[in-house]
Amino acid sequence: NAGVTQTPKFQVLKTGQSMTLQCAQDMNHEYMSWYRQDPGMGLRLIHYSVGAGITDQGEVPNGYNVSRSTTEDFPLRLLSAAPSQTSVYFCASSSDPPDSYNSPLHFGNGTRLTVT
Amino acid sequence: GQNIDQPTEMTATEGAIVQINCTYQTSGFNGLFWYQQHAGEAPTFLSYNVLDGLEEKGRFSSFLSRSKGYSYLLLKELQMKDSASYLCAVRGTMRNDYKLSFGAGTTVTVRA
């Protein structure tokens, strides 16, 4: 059981380049999300999805796009990379339906992105 | 919005007990989670509290007081492998209850 799989593990981009961070889960979870983690700061929510075809913005959505065409996949696109987007990115999923609150997040192993 | 505070660092000796406090100010409350994150790895779930009181899971316990906006994670019989960052996360009553807000994390160092 692979859980949540993120690729790539490491990436270096130049300012202005675009790329897609991949995330896939095999637990049939409806809920998926992307967080970024920066030193001294908590995990901050970028975008999330409550099911295939449905996405919404989190705290820090600017500069990022997402789509959810299938239950399994939730890619994160950086439109035009900036040094401020240097961070560790985590994808997470949960089986939590709207009326159940005790399902924890399952995290992928992260993508370490550097923008020069 | 959510405001979650926890100490930045704590150090303790192998075999000892450490208590990590978390205070929060949120627009509504629908549960508090603790996650453990080893350096360079993904966070993993430790505990969940939604009602007041203590939840015990082996060497780890978590306490919640909703009226005080306060939780703690208690780590007993510390082992070297417990050296990690511990993240407090709160689910508020925003328009989608799935959103979790995280504190910056408390780095615990266990010394021999």
Side-chain angles (χ1 to χ4, degrees), chain A residues 31-33 35 37 40-43 45 48 50 56-57 90 92 94 96 101-105 107-109 112, chain B residues 30-31 33 35 37 39-45 48 50 87 91 95-105:
Chain A
Y31 297 81
M32 298 186 73
S33 58
Y35 286 86
Q37 187 173 40
M41 303 184 74
L43 288 157
L45 183 64
Y48 67 96
V50 300
D56 207 344
Q57 295 181 350
F90 288 100
S94 169
D96 192 22
Y101 306 109
N102 64 350
S103 178
L105 290 173
F107 286 88
N109 285 329
R112 283 144 187 84
Chain B
N30 267 309
F33 294 79
Y35 287 82
Q37 185 178 24
E41 298 183 9
T44 55
F45 169 71
Y48 169 77
V50 68
L87 313 179
R91 174 173 284 152
R95 59 188 172 93
N96 185 304
D97 288 332
Y98 175 64
K99 291 183 179 178
L100 278 183
S101 294
F102 284 83

Side-chain angles (χ1 to χ4, degrees), chain A residues 11-78:
Chain A
Q11 183 69 51
V12 178
L13 291 177
K14 295 188 176 179
T15 298
Q17 286 185 315
S18 62
M19 79 157 294
T20 299
L21 307 185
Q22 301 292 343
C23 176
Q25 53 90 9
D26 61 0
M27 297 173 283
N28 202 31
H29 284 170
E30 289 293 328
Y31 297 81
M32 298 186 73
S33 58
W34 278 100
Y35 286 86
R36 60 177 288 173
Q37 187 173 40
D38 302 292
M41 303 184 74
L43 288 157
R44 290 182 293 167
L45 183 64
I46 304 171
H47 286 284
Y48 67 96
S49 169
V50 300
I54 306 169
T55 64
D56 207 344
Q57 295 181 350
E59 301 172 63
V60 289
N62 292 341
Y64 308 95
N65 273 355
V66 291
S67 60
R68 185 92 181 271
S69 56
T70 66
T71 299
E72 294 77 21
D73 299 299
F74 191 45
L76 178 73
R77 281 183 289 278
L78 278 71

